[in-house]
Amino acid sequence: MNNPKVSIIVPCYNQAHYLDVALQSVLNQTYFDWECIIVNDGSTDNTQELAEKWILKDNKFKYLVKNNGGLCSARNFGIEQAQGIYILPLDADDKIAESYIALAMGAFEKDMDLRVVYCHAEKFGLETGAWNLKPFSLFNLSQNNMIFCSAFFKKQDWIAIGGYDTNMVHGWEDWEFWISLLKNGGNVHQLEEVCFFYRINPNSMLQKMNLEESKQMMEYLSIKHIDFFVKHYGSFKALSQETERMKHDFEEKLKSEKFVIDVFFKKFFGFSIFGKYK
């Protein structure tokens, strides 16, 4: 298929056992004008075997292979090859509702100033139920991330901000991406429907960001987006105080074993602290 309107990017690193569910949810879409790019980020499992099966099933599936470089690198690699006007990242262990693309394209058609379209979400796997996140606002975004990775944006906007920042090596890559994309304006729309399903799996709990890593990422974010944070906290002093408050709050709560478990499910400081992808 030439020039699809939507490109779905599925990075995969040793997640072949989940891949069928994610790709089936893509194939089930009621909206036809899409391509799905599977990016094998140096997997050592049978990702290639499964990907080739899906290519034979439908030629809208495409397969790319690269050396392992992490989630940001894999997403960027796939988006570079994408032919679509709109991009939808989808992690290999998650899934989407069959109406997601159709509803999102309808939203973009109604508002040409939209930069991001996302939806309501539910968890599945080890935990089920609604994934309750704060409503979007730039101020809320300055405090925490509330837009999961599987949201729609335009490829031209991805190009304009330089893609996903590969310096976000420990996590929070989605938070940084949305700040880069939205801090200078652009509308955001959340669909009323539940269209994204986020898998809670055992490996997620083994890959948490430690205090030193979180400090590094917070310092990097604060420097890169100092204009954004100062705008919402009022001054360098207020920004410093807020950073110290967040750090202290995080350290205190990490002392509680109960919180360490709870933080995984509630995604304190953004859902990437316990990233599923390494």
Side-chain angles (χ1 to χ4, degrees):
M1 181 180 62
N2 295 322
N3 301 318
K5 195 168 187 179
V6 178
S7 295
I8 304 159
I9 312 300
V10 184
C12 192
Y13 177 66
N14 290 340
Q15 294 173 306
H17 50 297
Y18 296 126
L19 193 57
D20 277 344
V21 173
L23 299 185
Q24 185 64 54
S25 76
V26 174
L27 187 62
N28 290 344
Q29 292 301 297
T30 59
Y31 187 92
F32 179 79
D33 196 7
W34 56 265
E35 67 174 353
C36 182
I37 300 175
I38 307 160
V39 181
N40 184 343
D41 189 33
S43 298
T44 57
D45 61 6
N46 62 328
T47 293
Q48 179 165 334
E49 176 186 349
L50 285 177
E52 290 174 348
K53 179 189 74 174
W54 283 93
I55 292 171
L56 292 175
K57 184 176 296 190
D58 193 312
N59 63 10
K60 290 188 289 186
F61 289 101
K62 301 177 181 179
Y63 178 62
L64 302 176
V65 183
K66 63 182 291 295
N67 293 330
N68 181 253
L71 180 55
C72 292
S73 173
R75 283 184 187 160
N76 287 339
F77 188 72
I79 297 172
E80 286 170 2
Q81 309 301 317
Q83 299 298 309
I85 298 171
Y86 300 95
I87 303 296
L88 176 66
L90 175 63
D91 286 353
D93 54 349
D94 296 330
K95 60 183 180 179
I96 55 177
E98 63 182 16
S99 60
Y100 195 17
I101 299 180
L103 291 169
M105 291 304 99
F108 277 114
E109 289 174 6
K110 291 177 182 177
D111 184 354
M112 299 302 293
D113 293 325
L114 277 179
R115 283 205 167 173
V116 177
V117 173
Y118 70 120
C119 61
H120 289 275
E122 290 184 358
K123 295 171 282 187
F124 73 107
L126 289 183
E127 184 182 356
T128 60
W131 188 6
N132 296 314
L133 299 167
K134 284 187 176 182
F136 172 79
S137 70
L138 286 178
F139 177 75
N140 284 345
L141 188 64
S142 74
Q143 294 190 317
N144 207 334
N145 185 31
M146 74 293 298
I147 306 176
F148 36 77
C149 73
S150 290
F152 293 82
F153 54 88
K154 297 174 184 176
K155 182 173 179 178
Q156 66 184 29
D157 289 335
W158 171 86
I159 293 172
I161 65 173
Y164 287 91
D165 190 338
T166 56
N167 290 308
M168 303 299 292
V169 293
H170 301 304
W172 293 350
E173 64 283 331
D174 296 314
W175 189 16
E176 193 286 323
F177 182 77
W178 302 128
I179 291 173
S180 293
L181 189 64
L182 297 168
K183 68 179 182 179
N184 293 320
N187 296 341
V188 176
H189 178 71
Q190 185 179 31
L191 301 168
E192 293 297 326
E193 295 81 1
V194 174
C195 293
F196 176 64
F197 301 90
Y198 179 78
R199 186 190 295 271
I200 307 296
N201 65 64
N203 289 334
S204 304
M205 298 185 67
L206 302 176
Q207 299 174 359
K208 58 182 179 291
M209 192 188 299
N210 62 38
L211 284 174
E212 182 58 33
E213 290 169 345
S214 66
K215 179 181 178 182
Q216 291 175 15
M217 293 297 91
M218 183 58 70
E219 288 179 349
Y220 180 78
L221 278 175
S222 298
I223 293 170
K224 181 175 181 179
H225 298 294
I226 188 65
D227 56 334
F228 174 70
F229 288 109
V230 167
K231 179 180 179 180
H232 291 284
Y233 293 117
S235 68
F236 286 98
K237 182 175 178 60
L239 175 60
S240 176
Q241 290 173 338
E242 178 65 13
T243 300
E244 286 302 310
R245 183 198 66 76
M246 293 171 70
K247 177 183 175 183
H248 178 266
D249 200 29
F250 189 54
E251 289 174 342
E252 288 298 311
K253 290 181 177 179
L254 275 178
K255 293 176 183 178
S256 165
E257 182 179 354
K258 181 178 183 297
F259 178 78
V260 172
I261 301 301
D262 187 58
V263 74
F264 164 67
F265 296 111
K266 293 183 178 178
K267 300 295 180 292
F268 183 77
F269 280 149
F271 55 87
S272 295
I273 279 200
F274 290 94
K276 298 181 291 181
Y277 185 108
K278 287 290 183 180

